[in-house]
Amino acid sequence: MALIKHPRMLLVIIAEAALEKQLVADVKRLGAHGYTVYDVRGEGTMGVREGAWEADRTIEMKVICETAVADQIAEHVLAQYVPHFGVTMFFADVQVLRPHKF
Amino acid sequence: MALIKHPRMLLVIIAEAALEKQLVADVKRLGAHGYTVYDVRGEGTMGVREGAWEADRTIEMKVICETAVADQIAEHVLAQYVPHFGVTMFFADVQVLRPHKF
Amino acid sequence: MALIKHPRMLLVIIAEAALEKQLVADVKRLGAHGYTVYDVRGEGTMGVREGAWEADRTIEMKVICETAVADQIAEHVLAQYVPHFGVTMFFADVQVLRPHKF
Amino acid sequence: MMIDVVVFFFLLGVFARLVRSDLRLPEALYETLSIYLLLAIGLKGGIELSKQPLVALLPQIGATMALGLAIPFVLYPVLRGLRLSGPDAASVAAHYGSVSVVTFAVASAALMREGIPFESHASLWVAVMEAPGIISGILLARLSRLREVKWATLAHEVAFGKSVLLLVGGLFIGAIAGEAGTAPIQAVFVEPFKGVLALFLLELGLVAGGRLAEVRRFGFVVIGVGLVVPPVLSLAGAGVGLMLGLSTGGVALLATLAASASYIAAPTAMRIAVPEANAGLSITAALGVSFPFNILVGIPLYIAMAQALTGG
Amino acid sequence: MMIDVVVFFFLLGVFARLVRSDLRLPEALYETLSIYLLLAIGLKGGIELSKQPLVALLPQIGATMALGLAIPFVLYPVLRGLRLSGPDAASVAAHYGSVSVVTFAVASAALMREGIPFESHASLWVAVMEAPGIISGILLARLSRLREVKWATLAHEVAFGKSVLLLVGGLFIGAIAGEAGTAPIQAVFVEPFKGVLALFLLELGLVAGGRLAEVRRFGFVVIGVGLVVPPVLSLAGAGVGLMLGLSTGGVALLATLAASASYIAAPTAMRIAVPEANAGLSITAALGVSFPFNILVGIPLYIAMAQALTGG
Amino acid sequence: MMIDVVVFFFLLGVFARLVRSDLRLPEALYETLSIYLLLAIGLKGGIELSKQPLVALLPQIGATMALGLAIPFVLYPVLRGLRLSGPDAASVAAHYGSVSVVTFAVASAALMREGIPFESHASLWVAVMEAPGIISGILLARLSRLREVKWATLAHEVAFGKSVLLLVGGLFIGAIAGEAGTAPIQAVFVEPFKGVLALFLLELGLVAGGRLAEVRRFGFVVIGVGLVVPPVLSLAGAGVGLMLGLSTGGVALLATLAASASYIAAPTAMRIAVPEANAGLSITAALGVSFPFNILVGIPLYIAMAQALTGG
Ligand SMILES: Nc1ncnc2c1ncn2[C@@H]1O[C@H](COP(=O)(O)O)[C@@H](O)[C@H]1O
Ligand SMILES: Nc1ncnc2c1ncn2[C@@H]1O[C@H](COP(=O)(O)O)[C@@H](O)[C@H]1O
Ligand SMILES: Nc1ncnc2c1ncn2[C@@H]1O[C@H](COP(=O)(O)O)[C@@H](O)[C@H]1O
Ligand code: NA
Ligand code: NA
Ligand code: NA
């Protein structure tokens, strides 16, 4: 019954769908072993985004990785995309069972 | 490399899709600066909800905000919707980089 | 204003869509009172999964429950599905307001 | 062939659910089909409206609207007598006060197949009868609770809700553009209509099949209400049809509309307006019992009744 | 024009993938198209069934079913000989034991274009041949592992899985409603068939194009299997067709069905039933190699062979 | 009937937004409709191309391409003069340099309804004019910033982006398969065209209606640009049409293409290539102001102008 849990960082990036391709390339380049994406809608400082059509779509990306990797990705996103794109990011502490995987 | 992370609360509300419009108005009125919504399916005490048609759809809403705001939203949802609607809520501690944004 | 929050475990399982039916049966059998599912896309050690067609779809399942239940589900998934299927799992500590519900 | 082919698609859907098949229609398809059907029905009625003076139709508009408004007030006390709570009774009453667009479409198809003529502007009645029953239902729920009603919001939700908007929008476009103006879009909105209806019935069969388990849960009340209310209401519909001097087919259609229960507009509206009502109860009666009853048994019955009543 | 226009849509899809275009079809569209094709093919066969006594078709049903059941047992030892693991060999064998509905549709279109007649109930064979190969494949996987098989669950999954259910459901509806009964829905289920097939081939081109990278990864085995197995199996199919005394077109279709590999029902079923098998291997052979081979090269070949064999 | 019926669907969509209806079209439907329209327009042009020697069309290809390339260079300084930032001016210029496929379709429908003939291969111009304006716009943005341009990536994005790929893919398929080869898919890609266009306009009405609030936010600039730019550019388009010796309808179509602003390809491309530009500004001008202006007022105007200029 003794599951050993290992701490990892969950980085969540909510961003304009136009960035998906670049974000995927970025997180892989910066050391993440995987990512999960899905389509969302919402509202923030850049206004309502309903996702009814191409340029209005928003995605949410989850990356589970080491804190250092998460930090690097976040820094890159902050520098590269936040100035001109609608982007929301947050970190959460999570635990995983297979540490080598993340 | 020193990213400064600021604690915030993530409030997640899983609810019947009929509530989406009202929840959006509520979270904005109660002080959230943004929200993210997407369509889910699932099961709980109110039975299976597959989302195959209008009245059977479920949404999940994420709000990142200060703890006080999250508490107020949660209290409102608890009082207003929980008695008659299928609603699941939970809080998680997260960290953000741009504290003014949330 | 004194909302009492109770700690619970959030277990997130990202897996091939072919497993959805079995995972639903599993989590209910192992003691979860509910679950939430949605469709995602992503990449991991098993390669890119874009969800363009049936066998390429991925789902994400969220279960909020007691730690013991989460552990049991995780152990079952680890033993039963991880050897042959693309599966990612993580745990996060969350708080709920209605402890009897989860 | 007694049964219309589209009904078989409904049965296929129910069957798939009963044998626990993994067959599902994507939600986007469900939405697309219902948008299509509402627009197409509206357009069809509008094209016919373009051919006749609207003023001559005012009595029909008034009478069908009154019928929709009245039904819940008649049903409510009966349902209360069956020990339904106030909100539940009001919600069920609202579902039957409103109408089912698909049941209407199946009935028109049956009439056309059997060569029984009916008023070409019949879909105007559908558009008119969608909302009133819902309004009455909400009113009943509020009266029984002495809660304040946000009438402005409510009127807005009902008048500009997706289904009324599409039906009325289609009516307007059809009425303004007329037969000639709509000719280029008939390859989409007219010819495929029945095929699309078949697909939608497949989906409704899947949904209705899923509700059969609920029928057991809610027990006799739901079965009783779902089976008895439609034929009774069909009498009221037929009566109004006779009063208006409608054709045989018209009487049958109005009987069908009265007998049919909404499962698109009503559930959504009632969920917000009367949240205390058990949504499963109404939808199970409307979609799990009355809808199959109407398309399998009711429609032939209402047509026979209309023939008997009009001597047609 | 040698090549059917629908094949160009497949090539456009492959091209889009190779040049890394951002073209994607929404998943709901993919599901909708496949539901449509299965229903439409079933209906078509059913309408023809309504015109002839079912009993006369029993030999065909028996023989095609036996063919589907037999194919995996023949392929399995060969694939094992190619050093595929037990589960992998069983899974690949199951894919080729089952059939590809779209390959069938492309072959029928080719026959129609070339004016070669074939049995009007041919889609009955598709419905019959969908499941048996999958069952044999699972059986082989289990025998090689001495693991217990949940036959009840398995039979259920296969018989009521979405593709068999839609094909057989369409067959039933077509057979009961007949030509006249289905007339009003033909504007949806008959006339647009080839156009919808074109869209589906665009999507399959996108998917197959995405698998070309995998072809390189799996190497020679996948290419060899994907190119050699179809023509060999087509001989078996043609043989059964001759034995049954089918028309030239019928022999060509049965050759095509035998040669085709499933990429809808089989991958889903095998993923659950034989999880140890590498899903990428089977699908790459079936969809990345054999499917393009069949629609580009195989079908003309099988037609020529059928003509030679039947002297037609 | 002056106004084409499809325009009413646009107005219905705008109305629904203005009254805050809950009407939404599923995103999968939006994507499906735009894939369909692009493919169908391409196919139509391709079928016509199959009937004539391509070489004779080279002057038209060259001239329309040059027109698309030139427009942003003319607009940019004017927009800068209106106090738009460099990136904003470049982005708006790119939107007007490219074209709107739906505006083109509405204009062709209007010509057909009024019986004014035009070049049957006109959709070739659409395919040719989609990309150049975007490239010029990006070039302008980079020149004004001295930032390095990744031309390889950019060329790839534009040439193999979904809309150009579908248009050109359709052109190729139509040109290769020809009238006879595409006959079996015309029930999907030809007859339903206008009905599908109507549905797409309903969706665009919803989107454009949602941008009306933005019009107020951006104020006079957006209204001025959105209303003045199209008629001015239509002159340039008509001029090129005259130079090429096109028919009356051809001149009207080229005027319309020049006057129209892209809201599918351009926003996506500019968002990535010129992220500093305010995406809301361009799309509001293009879709919130110029698109409704063109389909309601502009197209009749451009047709009248073409008739005056060609004496047709
Ligand atoms: N406080 C918030 N909580 C949750 N989601 C948010 C929040 N703020 C923004 N978002 C999401 O992030 C997207 C981009 O945010 P923004 O850049 O603020 O417009 C929005 O469209 C929302 O989906
Ligand atoms: N324990 C749980 N874990 C995750 N999601 C849940 C849980 N319980 C309920 N849900 C979700 O919340 C929705 C409403 O819950 P309920 O009110 O319990 O029916 C369900 O349809 C599920 O999507
Ligand atoms: N590090 C990660 N972060 C987020 N999601 C992941 C990660 N690794 C894998 N996934 C998701 O889990 C699915 C299965 O993972 P895998 O078994 O590694 O192929 C992938 O398709 C992704 O959607
Ligand atoms: Na009714
Ligand atoms: Na086969
Ligand atoms: Na232009």
Side-chain angles (χ1 to χ4, degrees):
Chain A
M1 271 297 151
L3 280 180
I4 302 167
K5 294 176 187 163
H6 307 263
R8 280 293 178 280
M9 191 58 96
L10 166 67
L11 172 63
V12 177
I13 307 171
I14 305 172
E16 298 185 23
L19 295 179
E20 177 169 350
K21 221 166 149 182
Q22 299 178 32
L23 285 174
V24 164
D26 293 337
V27 302
K28 284 161 71 174
R29 183 171 42 82
L30 294 171
H33 298 177
Y35 60 86
T36 298
V37 178
Y38 48 96
D39 298 303
V40 300
R41 52 188 182 276
E43 185 171 347
T45 46
M46 311 270 285
V48 179
R49 296 179 58 80
E50 290 196 332
W53 57 302
E54 197 63 26
D56 196 40
R57 292 202 303 115
T58 310
I59 56 143
E60 178 165 331
M61 175 180 276
K62 276 195 181 80
V63 185
I64 305 146
C65 53
E66 313 243 1
T67 304
V69 172
D71 283 4
Q72 273 198 300
I73 297 172
E75 256 180 313
H76 176 74
V77 169
L78 216 48
Q80 193 71 22
Y81 305 120
V82 162
H84 300 303
F85 291 93
V87 174
T88 291
M89 260 192 302
F90 63 88
F91 299 84
D93 297 305
V94 300
Q95 295 117 51
V96 302
L97 301 177
R98 294 167 292 162
H100 55 279
K101 186 175 165 62
F102 302 98
Chain B
M1 269 296 152
L3 279 180
I4 304 168
K5 296 176 185 163
H6 307 262
R8 282 292 178 281
M9 192 58 97
L10 167 67
L11 171 63
V12 177
I13 307 170
I14 305 172
E16 298 185 23
L19 294 180
E20 177 170 349
K21 221 166 150 182
Q22 298 177 34
L23 285 173
V24 164
D26 291 339
V27 300
K28 285 162 70 173
R29 183 170 43 79
L30 295 171
H33 298 176
Y35 60 87
T36 297
V37 178
Y38 49 96
D39 297 303
V40 300
R41 52 190 181 274
E43 184 170 348
T45 46
M46 312 270 284
V48 179
R49 297 179 57 80
E50 290 196 333
W53 58 302
E54 197 62 27
D56 195 40
R57 292 201 304 115
T58 311
I59 56 142
E60 178 165 331
M61 176 181 275
K62 275 197 181 81
V63 185
I64 305 145
C65 53
E66 312 243 1
T67 304
V69 172
D71 283 5
Q72 272 196 302
I73 297 173
E75 256 179 313
H76 176 75
V77 169
L78 216 49
Q80 193 72 23
Y81 306 119
V82 162
H84 300 303
F85 291 93
V87 174
T88 291
M89 261 192 301
F90 64 87
F91 299 84
D93 297 306
V94 300
Q95 295 116 50
V96 303
L97 300 178
R98 293 168 291 163
H100 55 279
K101 187 174 163 63
F102 302 98
Chain C
M1 271 297 151
L3 279 180
I4 302 167
K5 295 176 185 164
H6 307 263
R8 281 293 178 281
M9 193 56 99
L10 166 67
L11 172 63
V12 176
I13 307 171
I14 305 173
E16 296 185 25
L19 295 180
E20 178 170 348
K21 221 166 149 181
Q22 298 178 34
L23 285 173
V24 164
D26 292 338
V27 301
K28 285 161 71 174
R29 184 172 41 80
L30 295 171
H33 299 176
Y35 60 87
T36 298
V37 178
Y38 48 97
D39 297 303
V40 300
R41 52 189 182 275
E43 184 171 348
T45 46
M46 312 269 284
V48 179
R49 297 179 57 80
E50 291 196 332
W53 58 302
E54 197 63 26
D56 195 39
R57 292 201 304 115
T58 311
I59 56 143
E60 178 166 332
M61 175 180 275
K62 276 196 180 78
V63 185
I64 304 146
C65 53
E66 312 243 2
T67 303
V69 172
D71 283 4
Q72 272 197 302
I73 297 172
E75 256 179 315
H76 176 74
V77 169
L78 216 48
Q80 194 72 21
Y81 306 119
V82 162
H84 300 303
F85 291 93
V87 175
T88 291
M89 260 192 302
F90 63 88
F91 299 85
D93 297 306
V94 299
Q95 296 117 50
V96 302
L97 301 178
R98 293 167 292 164
H100 55 279
K101 185 174 166 61
F102 302 98
Chain D
M1 210 39 275
M2 273 293 298
I3 303 181
D4 199 288
V5 64
V6 296
V7 174
F8 291 123
F9 284 83
F10 179 79
L11 296 176
L12 179 58
V14 172
F15 176 78
R17 242 4 225 294
L18 293 185
V19 300
R20 252 168 288 196
S21 167
D22 63 344
L23 177 63
R24 294 286 176 281
L25 265 56
E27 209 231 326
L29 178 58
Y30 170 82
E31 283 181 56
T32 300
L33 295 177
S34 65
I35 289 170
Y36 172 89
L37 290 176
L38 290 164
L39 262 180
I41 289 178
L43 271 172
K44 208 167 152 197
I47 295 173
E48 299 305 329
L49 278 186
S50 75
K51 298 176 186 161
Q52 51 195 292
L54 186 63
V55 102
L57 301 175
L58 285 182
Q60 290 182 15
I61 294 177
T64 50
M65 202 175 268
L67 179 59
L69 279 170
I71 287 174
F73 283 93
V74 178
L75 278 185
Y76 183 79
V78 179
L79 295 167
R80 289 292 277 151
L82 291 170
R83 304 178 142 276
L84 261 61
S85 73
D88 280 351
S91 173
V92 171
H95 282 69
Y96 286 92
S98 185
V99 295
S100 153
V101 172
V102 177
T103 310
F104 170 81
V106 174
S108 327
L111 290 171
M112 272 186 277
R113 219 189 44 243
E114 300 184 18
I116 304 172
F118 56 89
E119 282 68 14
S120 55
H121 60 271
S123 59
L124 177 65
W125 309 333
V126 186
V128 167
M129 289 182 74
E130 176 109 42
I134 298 175
I135 294 172
S136 292
I138 295 173
L139 198 58
L140 282 161
R142 299 301 158 87
L143 292 178
S144 77
R145 290 267 152 155
L146 298 173
R147 238 219 268 161
E148 85 285 15
V149 185
K150 291 196 200 144
W151 286 111
T153 321
L154 181 63
H156 182 272
E157 297 278 312
V158 170
F160 299 128
K162 158 163 80 182
S163 39
V164 171
L165 191 121
L166 286 168
L167 272 172
V168 174
L171 270 170
F172 262 92
I173 295 177
I176 298 174
E179 186 85 52
T182 53
I185 59 172
Q186 303 211 345
V188 165
F189 289 104
V190 178
E191 281 124 55
F193 185 82
K194 275 207 71 179
V196 175
L197 183 61
L199 278 176
F200 198 70
L201 279 166
L202 176 61
E203 165 73 20
L204 284 183
L206 289 168
V207 176
R211 304 235 62 102
L212 289 189
E214 306 285 290
V215 170
R216 223 168 311 149
R217 186 155 72 85
F218 291 116
F220 284 125
V221 185
V222 139
I223 301 181
V225 167
L227 292 182
V228 175
V229 166
V232 172
L233 289 181
S234 79
L235 294 175
V240 172
L242 287 176
M243 257 177 39
L244 289 168
L246 300 184
S247 68
T248 304
V251 169
L253 282 181
L254 216 48
T256 303
L257 283 172
S260 76
S262 163
Y263 44 80
I264 298 185
T268 321
M270 297 312 281
R271 198 74 196 100
I272 291 298
V274 190
E276 313 88 308
N278 183 330
L281 181 72
S282 301
I283 198 74
T284 302
L287 193 55
V289 185
S290 293
F291 179 73
F293 170 79
N294 277 329
I295 65 168
L296 290 169
V297 181
I299 289 172
L301 210 74
Y302 311 147
I303 294 179
M305 173 174 73
Q307 287 175 317
L309 288 173
T310 62
Chain E
M1 216 28 287
M2 277 291 300
I3 303 180
D4 199 290
V5 63
V6 297
V7 174
F8 290 122
F9 284 82
F10 179 78
L11 296 176
L12 178 59
V14 172
F15 175 78
R17 241 7 225 291
L18 293 185
V19 300
R20 251 167 289 194
S21 167
D22 62 343
L23 178 63
R24 293 286 176 283
L25 266 56
E27 209 229 326
L29 177 58
Y30 170 83
E31 281 180 58
T32 300
L33 294 177
S34 66
I35 289 170
Y36 171 89
L37 290 176
L38 290 163
L39 263 180
I41 289 177
L43 271 172
K44 208 167 152 197
I47 295 172
E48 299 306 329
L49 278 186
S50 74
K51 300 175 185 162
Q52 51 197 293
L54 187 62
V55 104
L57 302 175
L58 285 182
Q60 290 182 15
I61 293 177
T64 50
M65 203 175 268
L67 178 59
L69 280 170
I71 287 174
F73 282 92
V74 178
L75 278 186
Y76 182 80
V78 180
L79 295 166
R80 289 291 277 149
L82 291 170
R83 303 176 142 278
L84 262 57
S85 74
D88 281 350
S91 172
V92 170
H95 282 69
Y96 286 92
S98 184
V99 295
S100 154
V101 173
V102 176
T103 309
F104 169 81
V106 174
S108 327
L111 289 171
M112 273 186 276
R113 221 190 39 245
E114 300 184 18
I116 303 172
F118 55 90
E119 282 69 13
S120 56
H121 61 269
S123 58
L124 176 65
W125 308 334
V126 186
V128 167
M129 289 182 76
E130 176 106 44
I134 298 175
I135 294 172
S136 292
I138 296 174
L139 199 57
L140 281 162
R142 300 301 159 87
L143 293 178
S144 77
R145 291 269 152 153
L146 298 174
R147 239 218 269 159
E148 85 284 18
V149 185
K150 292 194 200 145
W151 285 111
T153 321
L154 182 62
H156 181 272
E157 298 277 314
V158 170
F160 299 127
K162 143 167 92 182
S163 39
V164 171
L165 190 119
L166 286 168
L167 273 172
V168 174
L171 270 170
F172 262 94
I173 294 178
I176 298 174
E179 187 84 51
T182 55
I185 60 172
Q186 302 210 346
V188 165
F189 289 103
V190 178
E191 281 123 54
F193 185 82
K194 275 208 68 179
V196 175
L197 183 61
L199 279 176
F200 197 70
L201 279 166
L202 177 60
E203 165 73 20
L204 284 184
L206 289 168
V207 176
R211 306 236 58 106
L212 289 189
E214 307 284 291
V215 171
R216 223 167 313 148
R217 186 154 73 84
F218 290 117
F220 284 125
V221 185
V222 140
I223 300 180
V225 167
L227 293 182
V228 174
V229 167
V232 173
L233 289 181
S234 78
L235 294 174
V240 172
L242 287 176
M243 258 175 41
L244 289 168
L246 300 184
S247 68
T248 304
V251 171
L253 282 181
L254 216 48
T256 303
L257 283 172
S260 77
S262 163
Y263 43 81
I264 297 185
T268 321
M270 296 311 281
R271 198 74 196 100
I272 291 300
V274 189
E276 312 88 307
N278 183 330
L281 181 72
S282 301
I283 197 74
T284 301
L287 193 55
V289 184
S290 293
F291 178 73
F293 170 81
N294 276 330
I295 65 168
L296 290 169
V297 182
I299 289 172
L301 211 73
Y302 311 146
I303 294 179
M305 172 174 74
Q307 287 175 317
L309 289 173
T310 62
Chain F
M1 213 33 280
M2 274 293 299
I3 303 179
D4 199 289
V5 64
V6 296
V7 174
F8 291 123
F9 285 83
F10 178 78
L11 295 176
L12 179 58
V14 172
F15 175 78
R17 245 1 227 293
L18 293 186
V19 301
R20 252 169 285 196
S21 167
D22 62 343
L23 177 63
R24 293 287 175 280
L25 265 57
E27 210 230 325
L29 178 58
Y30 170 84
E31 282 180 58
T32 300
L33 295 177
S34 66
I35 289 170
Y36 172 89
L37 290 176
L38 290 163
L39 263 180
I41 289 178
L43 271 173
K44 208 167 151 198
I47 295 172
E48 299 305 329
L49 278 185
S50 75
K51 299 176 186 163
Q52 50 196 293
L54 186 63
V55 103
L57 301 175
L58 285 181
Q60 290 181 16
I61 294 177
T64 50
M65 203 175 266
L67 179 59
L69 280 170
I71 287 173
F73 283 93
V74 177
L75 278 184
Y76 181 80
V78 179
L79 295 167
R80 290 290 278 148
L82 290 169
R83 305 177 141 277
L84 262 61
S85 73
D88 281 350
S91 172
V92 171
H95 282 69
Y96 286 92
S98 184
V99 295
S100 153
V101 172
V102 177
T103 309
F104 170 81
V106 174
S108 327
L111 289 171
M112 273 187 273
R113 220 188 43 243
E114 301 186 17
I116 303 172
F118 56 88
E119 282 68 14
S120 55
H121 61 270
S123 59
L124 177 65
W125 309 333
V126 186
V128 167
M129 290 182 75
E130 176 108 42
I134 298 175
I135 294 172
S136 292
I138 295 173
L139 199 57
L140 281 162
R142 300 301 159 87
L143 293 179
S144 76
R145 291 266 151 154
L146 298 172
R147 240 219 268 160
E148 84 284 16
V149 185
K150 291 195 200 146
W151 285 110
T153 323
L154 182 63
H156 182 271
E157 297 277 313
V158 170
F160 299 127
K162 148 166 86 181
S163 38
V164 171
L165 191 121
L166 286 168
L167 272 171
V168 174
L171 270 170
F172 262 93
I173 295 177
I176 298 174
E179 187 83 53
T182 54
I185 60 171
Q186 302 211 347
V188 165
F189 289 104
V190 177
E191 282 124 54
F193 185 82
K194 275 208 68 181
V196 175
L197 183 61
L199 279 176
F200 198 70
L201 279 166
L202 176 60
E203 165 73 19
L204 283 183
L206 289 167
V207 176
R211 304 236 61 102
L212 289 189
E214 306 284 290
V215 171
R216 225 167 311 149
R217 186 154 73 84
F218 289 117
F220 285 125
V221 186
V222 139
I223 301 181
V225 168
L227 293 181
V228 174
V229 166
V232 172
L233 290 181
S234 78
L235 295 175
V240 172
L242 287 176
M243 260 176 39
L244 289 168
L246 299 184
S247 68
T248 303
V251 170
L253 282 180
L254 216 48
T256 302
L257 283 171
S260 76
S262 163
Y263 43 81
I264 298 185
T268 322
M270 297 311 282
R271 197 76 197 99
I272 291 299
V274 190
E276 313 87 308
N278 182 331
L281 181 72
S282 301
I283 197 74
T284 302
L287 193 55
V289 184
S290 293
F291 179 72
F293 170 80
N294 276 329
I295 65 168
L296 290 169
V297 182
I299 289 172
L301 210 74
Y302 311 148
I303 295 179
M305 174 172 73
Q307 286 175 317
L309 289 173
T310 62

